[in-house]
């Protein structure tokens, strides 16, 4: 189907409607999409007398009538118009209602671009089906018309030989009107001597299904109403009607055979007849006009010797399949030799009439398809070139590829792509065909404002126009006075980019196919240039957004955002506003140069000021206005028309404006949103950096206070304690009293408290340097320095880890001391490695009741004492928490701080013997 497929796409999302239209038209060039934003608008378009649509694609959830109501309204107007419900919120109930309402197809929107290929196929399929059905209706009407107006008599009989239908031509042939024949026996139209043979043949065929003759052309006499016989040629056919067998006969008076021969001889197609050996028996006169051969010279020649050697075997095989009955009426395309030795592409349809009386040959109808083949070849090469256009990366590469394609496909050797200059005053060559320099003294460039009659004026007129300009003979083209080496030319605007000049030095060099190819190629060129521009903008925008993270302040971020919007995205009127708590609103922090020139001084936008900026900031939703003169905007009357406002999270807004209405499209909004997202990210990072800086300052102050506290504890408290301890020793020399023992014990507890407080104050520092340490060696060393009474120690699953050895020693000592203090003098303490086979093997050294092996890497310290109640496990690491009067409550706090300083974690579980088990994980293993 080569006709255009006009599609009405109804969707309330204009961006989605636009991209859907683009993809549909790209998937199939025949598709042309028009859009409507709601069902009411769609119905208005359908009611337009000039609008003819082949298919409707509609969303379901829309303001006003939904997709089902729209479908029902369409069905009232046109019950057969294809209607595809294309919705993002589909359900079984919606699908059921759509089917009940007569929907043609139902498709749910999805992710990715594959859905548009599916939708395009559904649209084309629906449109083609409707056209086929219409064509079938027309065909039925045509058949009726043909039957009614046919010069041949057409009669239908049943298996009982009764006439069921007769067309008007029977009266001319037999003298009976159709109404007189219907219901009568066919034998009334057959001479008496032939009636019995006819009845026997019909009965035999109805019983056996075997034909005694070729039904395609039977020579048989008929009998006129007045009794005279008529020589007839009858073609039979068989069909079923309501389950009953019917036979149809097309009956022709063979006296008109010469009229048909004349038709063959005057036909534009070649009609030939071959015998079973492939020898020409007849060739119609048209063979001379198409191939240059005299028909008489071909008779007696072997037909297949004129077939191109590369096609001959295939054509002979097709001919033989028809001869043997394996294929009827075969069609084949091949190359046939002309009289001048060149080859023409032809298409032949064969009909085996070897057994027909009076023909005794294989009849072939042959049509010249050279133009079609050339067109197909050009379109095939065009597809290859346009695929390459989809992969180009630069403007130079894209334009040169298009020029090379025009030269290679349609022979446009003087072609060039001319793009609008940066100043907008010239169409400058971006790519030229290789032969252009030999025809032009200098590269052709077209300045705006040149007088009528010049090539430049003609180029600018074509660039500003909506349709391409095609001229076959420039020498006779009145609007052009200036001499030019080109004779044939097609000037095709490339959107806003420039002009595609497709030309040749030969007059009338381009066919209609060439002009079509030029249009398709230009459309692909425009799309490729749009894509290259978008990709270039995205790359430069990416570079610009990366620089935002490196900015040192909110103000610098704002300045860089304005710079990127201006220089990268091409937006002229740009303002970045950031929220200032002291000012109570959005303060302009950075503006583009055009803002200073175009707009009055910027003010602070506050909640009650009615600003569009504040509305976008407060709601967190971007806004785009085609013309602020139509809304209640603060900048109304300043010359600003188009406006786009994007929020920067909690930080502020970016406002982008232009002095022309309706400037921004979906791509502009997409790129601006990328910039606003990057700006918001950078502002978030700056805010975090500021908070981290404040936190760092606060931590430094806390560390200073801790250092001061440690100094006081170490010097101002320990010195008086040492004096008190000394005084107690001196007092023992002078008297003996139980009170002195109690005082000495209190002093010892104070000394322990001071030591733990000093350790606690100093353990908050993060470990900066680590070294390989063997766990077993540290444990053995700690066991020697801690008072363990009658406690026992076992080490399982040794490991090497990276740690600060002195601080690791503090952690282990405190865990061992905690076990002795809470588990009793004879407590059993086990230290081992966590993780994998080491832990499993170690656990197996006991009585077999050990914990399961863990995937976490670390070590454990457990005992067989009373353990720690589950209710207390969340508090044992708190400073000052202790379950004994002798404990300071700082030991386990020190354990947690040492672990945290290394980046480890420590948790409490139940030991294998029911005691307390401390597990330290997250350690970094080291080699020995």
């Amino acid at each position: 189907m080569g006709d255009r497929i006009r599609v009405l796409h109804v969707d309330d999302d204009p961006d989605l409607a636009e991209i859907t239209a683009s993809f549909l038209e790209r998937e199939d060039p025949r598709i042309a999409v028009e859009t409507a934003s709601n069902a009411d608008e769609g119905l208005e378009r359908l009611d337009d007398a000039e609008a003819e649509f082949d298919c409707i694609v509609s969303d379901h959830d829309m303001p006003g009538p939904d997709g089902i109501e729209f479908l029902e309204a369409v069905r009232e107007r046109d019950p057969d118009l294809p209607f595809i419900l294309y919705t993002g919120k589909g359900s079984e109930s919606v699908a059921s209602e759509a089917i009940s309402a007569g929907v043609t197809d139902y498709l749910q929107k999805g992710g990715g671009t594959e859905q548009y290929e599916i939708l395009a196929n559904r649209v084309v399929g629906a449109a083609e089906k409707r056209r086929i059905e219409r064509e079938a209706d027309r065909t039925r009407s045509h058949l009726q018309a043909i039957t009614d107006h046919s010069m041949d008599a057409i009669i239908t009989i049943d298996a009982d030989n009764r006439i069921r239908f007769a067309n008007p031509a029977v009266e001319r042939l037999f003298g009976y009107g159709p109404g007189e024949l219907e219901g009568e026996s066919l034998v009334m139209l057959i001479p008496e001597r032939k009636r019995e043979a006819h009845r026997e043949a019909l009965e035999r065929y109805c019983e056996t299904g075997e034909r005694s003759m070729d039904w395609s052309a039977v020579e048989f006499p008929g009998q006129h109403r007045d009794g005279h016989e008529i020589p007839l040629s009858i073609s039979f056919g068989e069909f079923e009607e309501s389950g009953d067998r019917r036979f149809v006969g097309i009956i022709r008076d063979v006296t008109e055979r010469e009229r048909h021969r004349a038709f063959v001889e005057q036909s534009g197609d070649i009609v030939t007849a071959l015998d079973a050996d492939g020898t020409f028996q007849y060739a119609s006169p048209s063979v001379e006009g198409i191939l240059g051969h005299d028909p008489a010279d071909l008779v007696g020649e072997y037909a297949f010797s004129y077939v191109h050697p590369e096609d001959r075997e295939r054509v002979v095989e097709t001919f033989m399949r028809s001869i043997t009955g394996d294929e009827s009426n075969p069609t084949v395309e091949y190359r046939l030799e002309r009289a001048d030795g060149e080859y023409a592409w032809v298409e032949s349809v064969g009909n085996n009439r070897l057994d027909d009386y009076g023909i005794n040959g294989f009849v072939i109808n042959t049509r010249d398809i050279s133009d079609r083949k050339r067109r197909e070849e050009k379109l095939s090469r065009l597809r290859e070139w346009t695929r390459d256009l989809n992969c180009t990366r630069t403007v130079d590469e894209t334009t040169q590829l298009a020029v090379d394609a025009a030269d290679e496909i349609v022979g446009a050797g003087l072609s060039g792509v001319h793009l609008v200059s940066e100043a907008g005053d010239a169409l400058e060559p971006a790519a030229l065909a290789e032969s252009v320099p030999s025809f032009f003294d200098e590269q052709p460039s077209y300045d705006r404002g040149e007088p009528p009659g010049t090539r430049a004026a003609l180029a600018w007129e074509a660039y500003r126009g909506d349709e391409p300009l095609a001229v076959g003979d420039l020498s006779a083209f009145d609007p052009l006075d200036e001499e030019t080496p080109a004779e044939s030319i097609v000037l095709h605007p490339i959107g806003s980019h420039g002009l595609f000049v497709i030309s040749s030095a030969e007059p009338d060099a381009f066919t209609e196919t060439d002009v079509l190819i030029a249009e398709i190629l230009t459309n692909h060129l425009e799309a490729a240039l749009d894509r290259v521009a978008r990709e270039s903008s995205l790359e430069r925008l990416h570079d610009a957004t990366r620089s935002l993270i490196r900015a040192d302040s909110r103000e610098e971020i704002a300045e860089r955002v304005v710079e990127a919007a201006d220089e990268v995205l091409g937006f002229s009127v740009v303002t970045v506003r950031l929220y200032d708590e002291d000012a109570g609103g959005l303060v302009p922090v950075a503006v583009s140069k055009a803002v200073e020139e175009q707009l009055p001084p910027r003010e602070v936008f506050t909640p009650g000021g009615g600003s569009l900026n504040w509305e976008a900031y407060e709601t967190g939703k971007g806004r785009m206005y085609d013309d602020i003169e139509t809304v209640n905007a603060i900048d109304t009357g300043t010359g600003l028309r188009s406006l786009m406002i994007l929020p920067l999270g909690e930080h502020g807004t970016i406002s982008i404006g232009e002095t022309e209405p309706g400037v921004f499209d979906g791509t502009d909004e997409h790129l601006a949103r990328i910039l606003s997202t990057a700006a918001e990210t950078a502002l978030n990072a700056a805010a975090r950096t500021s908070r981290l800086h404040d936190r760092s300052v606060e931590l430094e102050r806390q560390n200073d206070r801790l250092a001061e506290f440690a100094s006081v504890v170490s010097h101002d408290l320990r010195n008086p304690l040492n004096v008190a301890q000394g005084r107690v020793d001196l007092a023992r020399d002078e008297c003996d009293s139980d009170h002195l023992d109690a005082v000495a014990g209190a002093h010892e507890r104070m000394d322990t408290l001071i030591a733990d407080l000093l350790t606690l104050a100093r353990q908050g520092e993060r470990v900066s340097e680590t070294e390989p340490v063997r766990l077993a060696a540290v444990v053995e060393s700690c066991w020697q320095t801690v008072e363990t009474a009658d406690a026992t120690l076992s080490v399982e699953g040794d490991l090497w880890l990276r740690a600060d050895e002195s601080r690791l020693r503090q952690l282990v000592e405190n865990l061992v001391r905690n076990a002795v203090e809470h588990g009793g003098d004879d407590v059993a303490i086990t230290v081992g490695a966590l993780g994998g086979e080491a832990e499993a093997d170690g656990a197996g050294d006991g009585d077999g009741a050990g914990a399961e092996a863990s995937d976490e890497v670390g070590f454990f310290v457990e005992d067989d004492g009373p353990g720690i109640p589950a209710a207390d496990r969340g508090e044992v690491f708190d400073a000052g928490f202790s379950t004994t009067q002798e404990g300071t409550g700082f030991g386990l706090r020190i354990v947690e701080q040492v672990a945290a300083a290394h980046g480890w974690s420590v948790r409490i579980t139940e030991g294998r013997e029911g005691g307390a088990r401390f597990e330290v994980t997250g350690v970094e293993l080291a080699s020995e």
Side-chain angles (χ1 to χ4, degrees):
M1 186 178 66
D3 296 334
R4 301 285 285 179
I5 300 174
R6 293 193 60 190
V7 176
L8 176 61
H9 183 199
V10 181
D11 198 303
D12 62 327
D13 187 336
D15 291 339
L16 181 59
E18 180 180 354
I19 195 170
T20 300
S22 300
F23 272 101
L24 288 178
E25 292 173 351
R26 189 176 73 175
E27 289 293 338
D28 196 318
R30 296 172 297 176
I31 296 177
V33 181
E34 298 183 26
T35 61
S37 60
N38 54 57
D40 291 333
E41 183 182 350
L43 292 174
E44 291 179 3
R45 302 291 293 278
L46 288 176
D47 292 338
D48 186 354
E50 297 181 0
E52 291 185 8
F53 292 102
D54 300 299
C55 183
I56 293 178
V57 177
S58 175
D59 193 8
H60 177 62
D61 290 331
M62 298 182 293
D66 61 23
I68 302 298
E69 293 168 335
F70 179 40
L71 169 59
E72 292 171 347
V74 170
R75 285 289 169 261
E76 292 178 0
R77 289 165 168 78
D78 188 345
D80 300 321
L81 179 62
F83 190 108
I84 298 175
L85 194 63
Y86 179 54
T87 175
K89 295 182 178 180
S91 67
E92 292 183 3
S93 62
V94 171
S96 176
E97 289 182 38
I99 293 171
S100 299
V103 74
T104 305
D105 209 337
Y106 177 86
L107 182 63
Q108 193 161 349
K109 298 175 183 176
T113 58
E114 296 84 0
Q115 61 178 315
Y116 300 113
E117 181 180 358
I118 297 173
L119 180 58
N121 290 337
R122 301 279 181 90
V123 167
V124 173
E128 286 181 336
K129 180 181 177 183
R130 188 193 193 205
R131 290 180 179 178
I132 290 172
E133 291 172 348
R134 285 186 168 183
E135 187 62 31
D137 292 339
R138 285 195 293 269
T139 300
R140 284 190 290 270
S141 299
H142 290 167
L143 288 175
Q144 183 66 45
I146 291 171
T147 301
D148 291 344
H149 298 88
S150 173
M151 296 296 295
D152 296 333
I154 301 174
I155 295 177
T156 299
I157 65 172
D158 59 20
D160 295 328
N161 212 29
R162 293 290 174 184
I163 298 174
R164 295 297 180 180
F165 169 80
N167 72 334
V170 297
E171 186 169 5
R172 179 186 58 80
L173 192 60
F174 293 102
Y176 297 101
E180 296 178 90
L181 293 177
E182 292 177 2
E184 300 294 332
S185 175
L186 181 66
V187 297
M188 67 184 297
L189 302 179
I190 300 175
E192 181 71 28
R193 71 180 191 281
K194 292 287 186 179
R195 292 177 182 176
E196 188 61 31
H198 165 71
R199 277 194 292 264
E200 291 177 356
L202 180 61
E203 291 174 357
R204 183 171 59 252
Y205 176 75
C206 289
E207 292 175 359
T208 66
E210 295 180 359
R211 300 181 182 182
S212 59
M213 66 185 77
D214 181 5
W215 286 13
S216 60
V218 179
E219 301 288 339
F220 201 84
Q223 180 171 291
H224 193 270
R225 185 172 191 166
D226 61 10
H228 77 272
E229 293 189 2
I230 314 164
L232 303 173
S233 174
I234 308 174
S235 296
F236 291 109
E238 182 181 2
F239 65 97
E240 281 193 8
E241 184 178 63
S242 300
D244 296 327
R245 300 178 75 172
R246 296 285 187 268
F247 302 92
V248 62
I250 301 176
I251 308 170
R252 177 177 298 171
D253 187 341
V254 294
T255 57
E256 299 182 2
R257 187 174 290 168
E258 289 303 318
R259 178 172 63 86
H260 294 286
R261 178 182 296 275
F263 172 78
V264 170
E265 292 179 351
Q266 297 300 319
S267 171
D269 294 345
I270 302 171
V271 180
T272 56
L274 311 182
D275 62 18
D277 296 326
T279 302
F280 281 118
Q281 294 179 309
Y282 169 80
S284 64
S286 56
V287 71
E288 186 169 8
I290 295 175
L291 299 176
H293 298 290
D294 188 324
D297 295 339
L298 294 180
V299 175
E301 294 286 321
Y302 182 58
F304 300 109
S305 65
Y306 291 88
V307 178
H308 194 285
E310 295 179 2
D311 303 332
R312 188 172 300 153
E313 182 178 354
R314 174 170 53 86
V315 175
V316 170
E317 288 179 354
T318 303
F319 176 75
M320 293 307 299
R321 286 198 301 271
S322 179
I323 293 294
T324 58
D326 294 336
E327 183 176 359
S328 60
N329 300 327
T331 301
V332 62
E333 295 181 0
Y334 59 100
R335 287 163 289 183
L336 198 59
E337 187 176 8
R338 300 179 190 269
D340 59 6
E342 297 295 325
Y343 286 88
W345 274 100
V346 298
E347 178 185 64
S348 293
V349 179
N351 189 359
N352 187 347
R353 306 297 294 275
L354 291 171
D355 297 331
D356 284 4
Y357 174 77
I359 298 180
N360 298 324
F362 191 82
V363 180
I364 302 173
N365 188 284
T366 301
R367 176 171 298 174
D368 186 356
I369 61 169
S370 299
D371 290 341
R372 192 185 83 193
K373 277 294 184 180
R374 282 191 292 268
R375 180 167 62 253
E376 290 175 353
E377 181 184 0
K378 288 181 179 181
L379 291 174
S380 176
R381 285 185 288 165
L382 177 63
R383 283 192 292 271
E384 296 176 1
W385 283 98
T386 53
R387 279 198 299 267
D388 292 340
L389 273 176
N390 292 332
C391 302
T392 56
R393 299 299 302 273
T394 66
V395 171
D396 291 343
E397 180 187 4
T398 303
T399 53
Q400 190 61 56
L401 191 67
V403 168
D404 293 342
D407 190 3
E408 196 271 341
I409 298 174
V410 302
L414 298 182
S415 298
V417 174
H418 299 259
L419 301 182
V420 180
S421 64
E422 185 174 350
D425 57 358
L427 293 168
E428 298 177 341
L432 298 172
E434 186 176 351
S435 58
V436 168
S438 62
F439 284 86
F440 290 87
D441 295 334
E442 58 183 22
Q443 289 187 349
S445 180
Y446 307 116
D447 295 333
R448 186 176 62 184
E450 292 295 307
T454 62
R455 297 198 305 264
L458 185 63
W460 274 93
E461 181 182 353
Y463 167 65
R464 295 190 183 100
D466 296 329
E467 299 293 332
L469 173 65
V471 181
D473 188 358
L474 280 176
S475 298
F477 188 58
D478 293 337
L480 182 65
D481 299 331
E482 186 178 3
E483 292 186 2
T484 175
E487 284 294 340
S488 300
I489 193 167
V490 178
L491 300 177
H492 212 302
I494 318 169
S496 61
H497 298 284
L499 187 68
F500 197 174
V501 180
I502 301 171
S503 62
S504 170
E506 300 297 326
D508 300 315
F510 304 136
T511 64
E512 291 183 3
T513 299
D514 294 334
V515 175
L516 174 62
I517 287 174
E519 180 179 358
I520 296 173
L521 183 59
T522 305
N523 291 337
H524 281 275
L525 172 60
E526 181 180 355
L529 289 173
D530 289 340
R531 175 183 51 78
V532 168
R534 285 195 303 270
E535 291 174 354
S536 176
S537 295
L538 283 172
E539 289 176 2
R540 291 186 293 127
L541 181 59
H542 177 63
D543 293 337
T545 54
R546 284 188 301 181
S547 71
L548 297 179
I549 302 299
R550 298 191 294 270
D552 295 329
S553 65
R554 298 199 323 160
E555 290 72 21
E556 186 176 353
I557 292 173
E559 291 289 348
R560 293 189 181 187
V561 168
V562 170
E563 182 180 344
D566 185 4
E567 297 181 2
V568 177
L569 303 183
F571 300 140
S572 58
V573 182
V574 184
T575 301
V576 174
R577 295 175 175 273
L578 299 180
Y579 181 74
D580 188 314
E581 187 173 359
D582 294 335
L586 297 172
V587 176
V589 176
V591 299
S592 64
K593 184 177 181 181
V595 171
E596 300 173 350
E597 298 173 350
Q598 180 75 26
L599 302 178
R602 303 285 83 193
E603 61 185 59
V604 177
F605 290 152
T606 57
S611 164
L612 299 178
N613 268 267
W614 185 264
E615 179 185 354
Y617 172 71
E618 189 173 43
T619 61
K621 296 180 180 179
R623 297 285 189 269
M624 188 160 67
Y625 304 93
D626 288 337
D627 191 351
I628 65 171
E629 293 291 338
T630 63
V631 297
N632 186 21
I634 290 177
D635 286 325
T636 300
T638 62
L640 194 66
R641 302 296 292 275
S642 299
L643 182 64
M644 179 166 38
I645 305 172
L646 299 174
L648 301 175
E650 64 182 13
H651 305 287
T653 61
I654 302 175
S655 59
I656 300 168
E658 294 295 342
T659 56
E660 295 293 330
V663 169
F664 302 126
D665 57 18
T667 299
D668 293 327
E669 184 179 7
H670 176 67
L671 295 175
R673 287 188 181 276
I674 292 176
L675 179 59
S676 67
T677 301
E680 181 180 352
T681 302
L683 289 168
N684 287 338
R688 285 195 301 270
T689 301
S690 177
R691 288 194 296 270
L692 287 173
H693 174 73
D694 294 342
R695 178 61 177 162
S696 177
V697 171
E698 178 61 25
L699 286 175
E700 288 180 6
R701 287 197 295 266
Q702 290 181 4
N703 288 335
D704 290 342
R705 289 195 294 270
L706 282 173
E708 181 181 357
F709 170 74
S711 175
V712 171
V713 171
S714 175
H715 183 270
D716 295 347
L717 292 181
R718 191 178 290 278
N719 285 351
L721 179 60
N722 290 338
V723 172
Q725 288 173 328
R727 294 290 185 181
V728 170
D729 290 339
L730 291 175
R732 289 184 190 279
D733 294 338
E734 296 178 2
C735 64
D736 185 13
S737 172
D738 291 340
H739 293 297
L740 293 177
D741 291 337
V743 172
H747 288 165
E748 184 178 351
R749 178 165 174 74
M750 291 176 64
D751 187 49
T752 302
L753 280 169
I754 290 171
D756 284 351
L757 283 171
L758 283 172
T759 302
L760 193 62
R762 292 168 177 163
Q763 293 307 317
E765 300 175 3
R766 188 164 187 84
V767 172
S768 58
E769 294 185 6
T770 61
E771 59 183 341
V773 179
R774 184 184 178 196
L775 177 64
V778 172
V779 172
E780 293 292 345
S781 175
C782 292
W783 191 258
Q784 301 300 322
T785 59
V786 177
E787 293 184 9
T788 56
D790 295 328
T792 60
L793 172 70
S794 61
V795 179
E796 301 173 351
D798 191 16
L799 80 159
W800 284 79
L801 67 156
R802 296 197 64 85
D804 182 323
E805 184 173 356
S806 64
R807 301 183 73 174
L808 175 60
R809 200 180 291 273
Q810 290 173 338
L811 182 148
V812 175
E813 286 177 354
N814 277 278
L815 289 176
V816 171
R817 186 179 297 112
N818 182 76
V820 173
E821 289 178 356
H822 296 83
D825 292 344
D826 60 349
V827 70
I829 302 173
T830 304
V831 181
L834 284 173
E837 297 179 356
E839 182 183 358
D841 293 343
D845 292 340
D847 60 6
E852 296 181 357
S854 171
D855 292 333
E856 296 179 294
V857 178
F859 59 90
F860 67 89
V861 178
E862 72 174 25
D863 59 60
D864 61 353
I868 301 174
D872 293 339
R873 291 174 187 172
E875 303 177 26
V876 296
F877 293 114
D878 295 343
F881 180 86
S882 178
T883 59
T884 66
Q885 292 183 351
E886 293 80 9
T888 64
F890 296 118
L892 293 182
R893 178 63 173 169
I894 292 170
V895 168
E896 185 183 50
Q897 286 200 350
V898 171
H902 282 84
W904 304 337
S905 298
V906 59
R907 63 173 175 261
I908 306 171
T909 63
E910 185 176 333
R912 289 171 289 186
E913 301 296 334
R917 176 182 173 102
F918 292 84
E919 294 181 346
V920 180
T921 58
V923 305
E924 179 183 357
L925 296 180
S927 57
E928 300 180 11

